[in-house]
Amino acid sequence: MNFKIAGTGSATPKLVVSNDDLARVVETDDEWIVTRTGISTRHVLSTETLTELAVTASRRALEAAGVTASELDLIIGATTKHDYQVPALACVVQAELGAPGAPAFDVNFGCTGFVGALDIAARYFETGGATRAVLIICAEALTRYVDWTDRATCVLFGDGAAAVVLTPGSSLLATHIHARGNPDPLHALAPTGNSPYSQNSEEHPYIEMNGREVFKFAVTNLCSDVTKVMEQARVMPEEVDLFLVHQANKRIIEAARERLGQPPEKFPTNIERYGNTSAASIPLLLDELVRAGKIEDDALLACAAFGAGLISGAALIRM
Ligand code: UT7
């Protein structure tokens, strides 16, 4: 016994920034961005807070699940950075939803946050730590810590929040998480503060990335992680209805799809409209598909992500 996905919800910032808009900020153009990444627009935080989006997404998921906040046994926040350094996003969301008391904490799996949080939630259900419902809230504001003078990174990311409510069930067939700890290819340094007792770094606290290295890691690990969960569950690729893959770059998704020998319609995307929303990427796609009626009851989903860590992971879920 682990869980079933009882409800999904999402929320994105109102401000939509096009590639042409970005061409007025850095030296870039629509053709480069579309050809190299598949991104046309992204939603960027401006007047709203990430907390507001996270709370809206959570309320939508609770409503879809028919679960009240007081029934939550656990809240897991998946984020790399939110409105507060402390407390955890999960605690901030819990305060807004009401009904405190349940444990609430964040995990930082980079862009693999949704898959990592599913893996942890399953263990809570399996060991009796959760018996009624668990909320996973994935919320990211990467546009707040990209360097807006670096065209190689600032065009890639968008902001958003997406949540799922899990209730007891047997939907999770397998998970696999892989870490190759190395900050070099993708990192953002934390600000060092102004302690009079330490040397304060001059290095800038923005996202720095070796795009090509992350690209190779992504394609290799998407394929190997998905293959591992299919093997664990004794499922053939043909039996998987949809592959919900981290929306970081359309070329990465295409390369993985070709290696796995699957047709394009099994790899839905929304990167065109949102860019890379890190941990929120897969649940945002899931929520859109659910609300559009594009996920049948009993559909078999393979979710797979990769990112800072470097971490990657996959989860196989029967809806
Ligand atoms: O969630 C995980 C996070 N990260 C990722 O998934 C990223 C994975 N990597 C990628 O998606 C790709 O590597 C990028 C989209 C980041 C870059 O694509 P690329 O095909 O690897 O391009 P590149 O970095 O090799 O750059 C090619 C050229 C360079 O010019 P030169 O040296 O060939 O003259 C760059 O300066 O493209 C130039 N360039 C740009 N040109 C116009 C880099 N960014 C831009 C830009 N507009 N925004």
Side-chain angles (χ1 to χ4, degrees), residues 134-200:
V134 171
L135 171 70
I136 294 177
I137 172 64
C138 305
E140 297 278 26
L142 269 68
T143 67
R144 292 213 184 129
Y145 66 118
V146 287
D147 179 355
W148 281 89
T149 66
D150 175 16
R151 67 178 184 173
T153 52
C154 75
V155 303
L156 304 175
F157 299 100
D159 304 323
V164 294
V165 170
L166 310 174
T167 53
S170 306
S171 288
L172 186 71
L173 306 187
T175 52
H176 174 75
I177 310 280
H178 168 96
R180 195 178 82 193
N182 178 11
D184 292 345
L186 175 52
H187 65 262
L189 289 169
T192 49
N194 65 354
S195 163
Y197 302 106
S198 67
Q199 278 192 332
N200 300 317

Side-chain angles (χ1 to χ4, degrees), residues 11-17 42-56 60 82-83 140-141 143-144 158-161:
T12 49
K14 284 183 292 296
L15 179 66
V16 177
V17 175
R42 71 285 292 143
H43 290 240
V44 175
L45 278 169
S46 56
T47 53
E48 59 281 88
T49 65
L50 188 63
T51 301
E52 286 164 358
L53 297 183
V55 170
T56 302
R60 287 176 178 156
H82 66 107
D83 291 336
E140 297 278 26
T143 67
R144 292 213 184 129
D159 304 323

Side-chain angles (χ1 to χ4, degrees), residues 28 32 36 111 151-152 209 211-212 246 248-249 251 276 306:
T28 190
W32 191 96
R36 301 283 180 133
C111 300
R151 67 178 184 173
M209 181 171 66
R212 287 187 182 188
H246 174 40
N249 186 321
R251 288 187 296 142
N276 180 346
F306 55 86

